[in-house]
Amino acid sequence: MEIPGLVEITTHDELREVVPPPLGAAVQKERKELHDLDIDWLAGSPFCLIATSDADGNCDVSPKGDPAGFTKVLDRTTIAIPERAGNRRVDGFVNVLGNPHVGLIFFIPGRTDTLRINGRARIVKEAPFFDDMVVKGNRPQLALLVEIEQIFHHCSKSFLRSKLWKPETWNPESVPSRAAISKALERPESDLATLETYYGAQYEESIYKVKY
């Protein structure tokens, strides 16, 4: 796509002409093992994003969520994240099979800082710690085992700019409902009222009842 006036950066030196090298604290905060404070953060986090790419560099970011503390700390360099049944695409898992490198960001609602972990992942279909991952009777069929290579806490700027946790800025009705989006883009043959029922209260009630 040709964009008039566009100036692209294509080298590391060009990038650093705009963004100087990071200051000491930003570099030194990187670690390779979990600190007690990191373990506390994982215990309080109900949600994370997992970034992956396949062997050709095609990327995916998948959200994962469960009750706070859903991420299992196995030791100072290893964590495990349960996989619950969903749409069966498992895009991130497919990527891991060809490229084990993953990036994770852990959120705590209301907190404007985050915890970032980068490492190498493996897909596990059975382990003793699966018994610790049961939620409402649902024992995961898969888990992502991550060997930590880099860990650090990330600052609040993006959350402060976006006002993400400020309820007065929320406007969920600014876009069509999930049911309307599904009918328009995914299930055009379905009745909208049926989809509204499907994505209603029973949808939340069923999320731990389904298996692949």
Side-chain angles (χ1 to χ4, degrees), residues 39-78:
I39 295 173
D40 290 343
W41 189 280
L42 293 175
S45 174
F47 181 82
C48 75
L49 297 174
I50 302 178
T52 60
S53 69
D54 66 17
D56 296 322
N58 300 297
C59 297
D60 176 74
V61 178
S62 296
K64 303 297 178 185
D66 254 334
F70 73 103
T71 298
K72 177 75 173 176
V73 176
L74 301 178
D75 59 34
R76 296 281 177 174
T77 60
T78 315

Side-chain angles (χ1 to χ4, degrees), residues 128-140:
F129 57 78
F130 277 38
D131 290 338
D132 299 326
M133 294 178 165
V134 175
V135 177
K136 295 185 177 180
N138 182 281
R139 189 176 189 271

